[in-house]
Amino acid sequence: MALTRREFLKWSGTAGAAAAAMCLGFDLRPVSSYAAGLKILKAKETTTICPYCAVGCGLIVHTKKSGKLLNAEGDPDHPINEGALCAKGAALYQMTVNKSRIKTPLYRAPESDEWEEIEWEEAIEKIAEKIKETRDATFTEKNAKGQVVNRTTGIAHVGSAALDNEECWLLQGIMRALGLVYIEHQARI
Amino acid sequence: MTNHWIDIRNSDCILIMGSNAAENHPISMKWVGKAMDKGATLISVDPRFTRTSSKADIYAALRSGTDIAFLGGMMNYILSNNKFHKEYAANYTNASFIVGSKFDFKDGLFAGYDPKKKKYDKSQWAFEKDGNGVPKRDLTLKDPRCVFQLMKKHYSRYTPKNVSSITGTSEADLKKVYETYAKTGAVDKTGTIMYAMGWTQHTVGVQNIRMMAMIQLMLGNMGRPGGGVNALRGESNVQGSTDHCLLFHILPGYLKTPRASNDSLEVYNKKWTPKTNDPISANWWGNTPKYSVSFLKSMFGEAGTKENDFGYSWLPKIDDGKTYSWLDIFDEMYKEKFKGFFAWGQNPACSGANSNKTRQAMAKLDWMVNVNLFHNETASFWKGPGMNPDEIKTEVFLLPCATSVEKEGSITNSGRWSQWRYQGPKRLRGVKTDGDIMVELFEKVRELYQADGTFPEPIQNFRWDFVKEGKFDAHAVAKLINGYFEKDATVKGKSFKKGTLVPSFAYLLADGSTSSGNWLYCNSYTEKGNMAARREKKDPTGMGLYPEWSWCWPVNRRIIYNRASVDLNGKPWSPNKNILERKDGKWVGDVPDGGWPPMSNKEKTKRPFIMKPDGVASVFGPGRADGPFPEHYEPLECPVPKNLMSSQRINPVAPIYGTEADAHFSCDPRFPFVGTTYRVTEHWQTGLLTRWQPWLLELQPQLFVEMSNELGKLKGINNGDMCKVSSARGEVEAVAIVTGRFKPFKVQGTTVHQIGLPWCFGWVQPKDGGDSANLLTPSTGDPNTRIPETKAFMVNVDKLGKRRA
């Protein structure tokens, strides 16, 4: 039987606990290893790829039934990292479970010195209006040479190398449909 | 990467230069280590002795910005000592091509330079062609006008003495590196290069990489296991975001952005479809019309018809010859040319060169949208150092988004593997995924344009059938990126029903029958399923290709240009490194770069570098803005009054911006030291995500500046002192690390000191952690890419006092 490394670890963990039970000693190592496993025993397991550098290390993510992130650790089956992670990847949990995350859209009015919370609907509506207003006011149908260019030079975009491929494609599609030509991101810097 | 991470283990010699892989791509070192276990040599070349250097067999220091001189010397060593792979160079590169009589090189300038426009007339670098329009060749490489001989002459100037005097590297160290790496020119050996922003962020960035690519070609290392030219990319999906072209000059799949002069689809396709007269060149870009039409179909669906050029006129056009790059954006923004701005998942206030200019530019906007997880220096620029909110009119929207584990979709790593990520936890209440934000925003804009508005067609006709009930669906977009048959069609003898996913880009058509959001990803999500989600760990070649683990562009080819890994008879150059072999009339191993027979079959073969019109790799690069051969020029800001190689001190075609925020000085006593920037393992890019994580912040809490013991003594600075580091454009406060990791350089007979500092900090968080090192860097860049020169500039460092308790 071909065992993956993770399956092997699961099996050997069980065997270790059985051996400890039989010898009735005071070696707590199997117990603490069993306890560590308890934490993720009933958790949902999903795989992900590290969001930092582009090595593309695999991680396993454990999620509680409540939907809360419980744990993230290197995926031993992943052929690139074979379970290993750097300091950032190993801290992945803390990017999601983090009190400092922004939880609502924020708005800064002209000349204001503070943020104010706004509803999503209002934020989206206001931004959409700004886009239309700016696009309509700055749209260039023909350039100085009289060539048809159909573009919007009043708006620029930068970002993002941290989005998923599908989001990147849609983002470029939307920006180009709006007529933007100043479209750039991390790859340029 | 032309190769991929695991393949590093197949190398005989690994050169890490322009990168500090051990700290910035730590897991890559697992594969470097495996190669070393089998006897490979690791060479680290860096201005600073890094953690990568500490693992290396050979370390050589060089002054920032002198990589072409260092590598030019290596090329000289390889050519003058006959260390190159002759059969490979003659057959698979343009080393044998005869260059036209107009080409010349004198005192730092190539033929065709226009000093007024600061531009070259590249037509003067063209090859000589025979009666059929095919470049003339001399396979013996002896013709004095062939690329090989011109190259040999060009690099003969890069003597060890000259190189040492420019780079500050000792001649003994140069010799050690050259001899060791050149050994990979042996037919059965391969060497690889791992580089990163240490090479790209220069006014000669492209030529830094070309110089190494040329070395790899002359040593016969391209397309081969353990070889290649390997860019270690810094963001998890910067490969994918580049492939999908969130960039001004290209459309998804590296199609050209239409120029104003391309006034119809026909003109566009004619202009951008390369041609060849060589019967054995595949000229794969000859398929451009199939990819451009399929892209338009993915953008505009049924609204795009043959009659309306598939919606070609709805795509915005850029002016011929004008650039719209990152540096241009902030230059124009600084000049109040923009009203609106999106910084989507990015922190330009810290990440771009010349942060003061960037931050001041944002104060000249009417509105700005920033999408991010945490508070950052971009969204809050209006209350940053030196800003007066009362005077800043910019309206700012900060939209909170989901983390990578709170949504699903694919990302593409540096080795071109597209890997699927699943949603684990529920999204934090109050945040949305980036995809949902895009969908909601665009639906609202489209709604507004239903009433009235300028040129509404592209907005109304932008394909939207992949959105279900106002929600972003990653699978639906992934399928559109792959592409569909939009009509029933028969291609290559196979019939496909409308609505079927296209099996691979070989089936795309130019008549509107197919869509594909990105032809390079056609084959990633087919009727067989989501290829990026595969997790089969089979390794049939034993070379670590793992062909059924995730999916790799193009068409799951794990090593690109792999037909150059075999000799003219289709046998691997190194029998013990077999990723591809011609057996019984078939290719066995990796997905070959086209199924044609090897070069010995003169009738049916195609040359291996199929993306180049001539079918061979370009040792001579007549398409580059700054010359067909890399030449050493000093950085815009440098410590020497003269370039030792010529009268051209800096790259004669480098873009220089002219606002008052763009000050730059060379050989100025106020800024006597070379400065460079880098990163640390614990923080990612500007630190926007990682500075908010207590575990990581505790490990790397604040900005530091590293300098040599000699410089510390000279300036009276001790380890732990607070210092001010300043340049012509800005200053930062940092804790001094006085260390043996930096050593003074002997350059042109004088002592040159270099300092370095990480750019992962910012004023928002932590409060006393210091600000971005990009406050110091200049906004000039490479003339081909306009990537800023943030790796070599001039600074001063002064002691402020003892470190705060």
Side-chain angles (χ1 to χ4, degrees), chain B residues 508-533:
Chain B
L508 292 176
L509 296 168
D511 65 357
S513 307
T514 55
S515 60
S516 177
N518 187 331
W519 71 274
L520 264 186
Y521 282 72
C522 190
N523 185 238
S524 64
Y525 206 128
T526 67
E527 294 298 329
K528 289 180 184 162
N530 182 359
M531 298 291 141

Side-chain angles (χ1 to χ4, degrees), chain B residues 549-768:
Chain B
W549 185 280
S550 73
W551 179 87
C552 173
W553 69 252
V555 286
N556 208 33
R557 181 174 303 134
R558 301 283 160 150
I559 295 181
I560 49 183
Y561 306 121
N562 55 23
R563 282 195 303 128
S565 73
V566 298
D567 64 16
L568 303 190
N569 294 310
K571 298 290 169 211
W573 292 112
S574 17
N576 62 341
K577 295 185 188 185
N578 186 342
I579 49 145
L580 191 68
E581 185 175 2
R582 190 75 172 178
K583 275 185 187 161
D584 306 323
K586 275 186 186 160
W587 290 107
V588 180
D590 195 8
V591 178
D593 256 316
W596 304 283
M599 297 275 292
S600 56
N601 183 336
K602 288 181 183 161
E603 302 288 302
K604 292 184 177 162
T605 192
K606 297 282 182 199
R607 301 179 189 280
F609 286 86
I610 62 171
M611 302 313 283
K612 304 294 294 180
D614 298 321
V616 294
S618 303
V619 175
F620 185 85
R624 299 282 66 80
D626 41 3
F629 289 134
E631 169 69 3
H632 169 70
Y633 302 109
E634 289 291 330
L636 174 71
E637 287 190 328
C638 65
V640 289
K642 187 179 166 359
N643 174 2
L644 209 58
M645 297 307 293
S646 73
S647 310
Q648 298 297 321
R649 195 170 59 87
I650 65 164
N651 187 338
V653 294
I656 295 170
Y657 294 84
T659 75
E660 64 274 21
D662 289 292
H664 55 91
F665 301 109
S666 285
C667 301
D668 187 307
R670 289 172 296 171
F671 307 108
F673 312 124
V674 177
T676 196
T677 63
Y678 38 80
R679 296 198 283 134
V680 296
T681 306
E682 295 78 6
H683 290 296
W684 187 63
Q685 307 300 8
T686 67
L688 188 157
L689 299 171
T690 48
R691 283 185 268 127
W692 289 100
Q693 298 182 41
W695 295 337
L696 296 171
L697 189 64
E698 189 175 339
L699 292 166
Q700 285 287 359
Q702 66 197 130
L703 182 65
F704 57 84
V705 53
E706 286 182 88
M707 67 191 80
S708 66
N709 292 312
E710 293 82 352
L711 180 58
K713 204 170 165 193
L714 187 74
K715 298 288 289 188
I717 296 168
N718 293 310
N719 226 344
D721 286 346
M722 281 305 293
C723 293
K724 181 178 85 174
V725 186
S726 53
S727 79
R729 296 154 299 276
E731 56 185 55
V732 290
E733 291 183 11
V735 179
I737 297 182
V738 181
T739 168
R741 289 193 288 269
F742 270 117
K743 295 257 190 268
F745 295 103
K746 237 337 160 228
V747 175
Q748 297 186 22
T750 64
T751 300
V752 171
H753 293 281
Q754 176 158 358
I755 63 115
L757 58 177
W759 59 279
C760 53
F761 293 95
W763 61 269
V764 165
Q765 165 71 11
K767 291 293 173 218
D768 55 357

